Amino acid sequence: MFAMHGKQQYRAVVSLLLCWCLAWVPVHASAAGTASNTPVQRTILLYMIGSDLESEGGFGSGDLEEIMSAQDSPHVQIAIQTGGAQSTGWNEVRRFQVRHQMLQERANLGKRNMGAQSELADFLEWGVTQFPAQEYILVFWSHGSGSVNLVGSGLSVIGPDEIFDDGLSVAEIEGALRRVKERAGKQFEIVGFDACLMGALELTKVLRPYAHYLLASQEVEPGGGWSYGAWLEKLRLKPQLSSQELGRQIIDTFFESHQAESSDEPLTLSLIDLEKVEPVLAATQQWAQASKTLLSRSPKAAAAWALSRARDESENYGRGGRFDYGMVDLRDFVDHGSNRLKAVFPASAQQPDIAAALIELRSAQQAVAKSVQSAVVWQRSSQQRPRASGLSAFVPNSFHILNAE
């Protein structure tokens, strides 16, 4: 998420008031989990690396306030870990349970690195053990920077923790999820990223063994992020919502909230069925292999130039200023790339192997479009992002394409 500085003064006041209130919330030893022997329907685990989103904008405290605005549900438990920001109440790692529209502190862990794999894994194990449920939802809250770490940018995939100047990589997220699955035998129904640029194909491959759905944005998110109060209230009123229905509610309330504030902001958010991403991965690999064949046969690097142009023409996310995150819409890039490559090889100049590669390219292009449509359960995008399909991919910039071996 990126901060919106127009809200910073309000958020800062909220942050101070919230920190003061937390000091007076009572903690009860009997608060863990549910009093019944039957697990509740859902446990929501929220991992909030505050970063400058909290220290400069107070956005984390604002979202906690939204969460507390929702009435309790006997069918839902919410556990939260906060930290990683240079501000009062966030410069130490703290764990909370949401009860009676209040944050009840369960632990103050002191100075610990929220950007460490071990810290995330400890929180997840604690959450699934202390708050047993039929289904678990995990939400990451912080800055996001796409599916790969940016060389020299100082940014990680999720974070950073301002205290330790460290964020979570994709490998660290995968390692924490693997540990929870191996030790506690738990899999997540939804893994969501209330963060920028995380609706990426590469991430679906990593999450597939540990979750059923990915909920994330292709584009940069506004600092206010998801509309927690709105979708938690909908879940309270209809606890029988399926994961797909809940994901749709999160997406729809996100759009309703931010479009009411501004119609000029580019927005995307999508729910991806991780059990349906294998055909997307296979079709993308098929397309890449056909492209590689054409790259090796094109004169004077013409095919490389074609792919470079396709990358620049495709709908891209987070590009601007001194950063190029390399995230483009998968389907749009494949369409532009296919059209550009076909133009490099006129029919009169085609050799048998080139003709076969072009046929393979066309088949893969169609397979990518069909499989993406199947895997993306629900997605919305604003008018500024008309070609968003719901899934991005990392594509190197033009320099790397033109200098590829």
Side-chain angles (χ1 to χ4, degrees), residues 222-278:
W226 296 0
S227 185
Y228 289 90
W231 65 262
L232 285 171
E233 180 63 13
K234 291 180 182 295
L235 183 58
R236 183 186 70 84
L237 295 173
K238 290 186 177 181
Q240 73 277 13
L241 286 174
S242 68
S243 296
Q244 289 192 12
E245 291 168 334
L246 176 58
R248 180 167 181 163
Q249 291 294 339
I250 295 172
I251 293 169
D252 289 347
T253 54
F254 170 79
F255 270 78
E256 290 163 7
S257 171
H258 291 291
Q259 288 185 331
E261 295 177 356
S262 172
S263 60
D264 298 328
E265 203 158 25
L267 301 170
T268 64
L269 199 58
S270 52
L271 180 69
I272 297 128
D273 187 340
L274 295 175
E275 294 181 357
K276 294 184 178 180
V277 298
E278 182 58 41

Side-chain angles (χ1 to χ4, degrees), residues 155-386:
L155 295 177
S156 295
V157 172
I158 291 294
D161 180 314
E162 285 189 310
I163 313 299
F164 291 87
D165 192 25
D166 187 24
L168 290 166
S169 68
V170 171
E172 288 175 316
I173 292 171
E174 192 274 337
L177 293 173
R178 183 175 65 249
R179 187 176 118 179
V180 173
K181 186 174 183 179
E182 290 174 352
R183 293 190 182 182
K186 301 299 183 183
Q187 188 172 10
F188 292 91
E189 190 65 16
I190 298 174
V191 172
F193 289 85
D194 190 2
C196 299
L197 304 170
M198 299 305 292
L201 178 64
E202 297 84 357
L203 195 58
T204 67
K205 184 176 181 179
V206 171
L207 294 178
R208 202 169 28 150
Y210 312 109
H212 293 132
Y213 297 94
L214 165 65
L215 205 164
S217 173
Q218 294 178 268
E219 184 55 278
V220 170
E221 276 195 2
W226 296 0
S227 185
Y228 289 90
W231 65 262
L232 285 171
E233 180 63 13
K234 291 180 182 295
L235 183 58
R236 183 186 70 84
L237 295 173
K238 290 186 177 181
Q240 73 277 13
L241 286 174
S242 68
S243 296
Q244 289 192 12
E245 291 168 334
L246 176 58
R248 180 167 181 163
Q249 291 294 339
I250 295 172
I251 293 169
D252 289 347
T253 54
F254 170 79
F255 270 78
E256 290 163 7
S257 171
H258 291 291
Q259 288 185 331
E261 295 177 356
S262 172
S263 60
D264 298 328
E265 203 158 25
L267 301 170
T268 64
L269 199 58
S270 52
L271 180 69
I272 297 128
D273 187 340
L274 295 175
E275 294 181 357
K276 294 184 178 180
V277 298
E278 182 58 41
V280 182
L281 295 166
T284 303
Q285 180 63 35
Q286 179 189 2
W287 188 87
Q289 188 59 49
S291 299
K292 185 177 180 180
T293 299
L294 295 172
L295 280 166
S296 68
R297 294 299 308 276
S298 66
K300 298 180 180 179
W305 277 108
L307 285 181
S308 175
R309 290 288 303 276
R311 194 256 196 193
D312 294 337
E313 292 166 346
S314 300
E315 189 158 279
N316 64 84
Y317 307 105
R319 191 182 302 175
R322 62 192 180 97
F323 291 135
D324 182 347
Y325 293 88
M327 305 308 299
V328 300
D329 185 82
L330 172 63
R331 186 181 64 191
D332 200 39
F333 172 69
V334 167
D335 285 346
H336 279 285
S338 298
N339 293 335
R340 284 284 180 182
L341 286 172
K342 282 182 278 188
V344 172
F345 300 95
S348 59
Q350 289 179 15
Q351 300 297 319
D353 60 336
I354 293 176
L358 287 170
I359 292 172
E360 187 75 2
L361 190 77
R362 175 60 177 167
S363 173
Q365 178 187 6
Q366 294 172 337
V368 167
K370 182 178 180 180
S371 58
V372 167
Q373 184 177 19
S374 175
V376 177
V377 176
W378 181 247
Q379 73 93 22
R380 289 183 64 177
S381 56
S382 61
Q383 60 184 357
Q384 295 87 351
R385 294 293 178 263

Side-chain angles (χ1 to χ4, degrees), residues 39-43 74-76 132-136 235 239-242:
V40 299
Q41 186 167 347
R42 287 186 174 96
T43 288
H75 306 285
V76 178
Q134 297 173 42
E135 296 177 359
Y136 297 90
L235 183 58
Q240 73 277 13
L241 286 174
S242 68

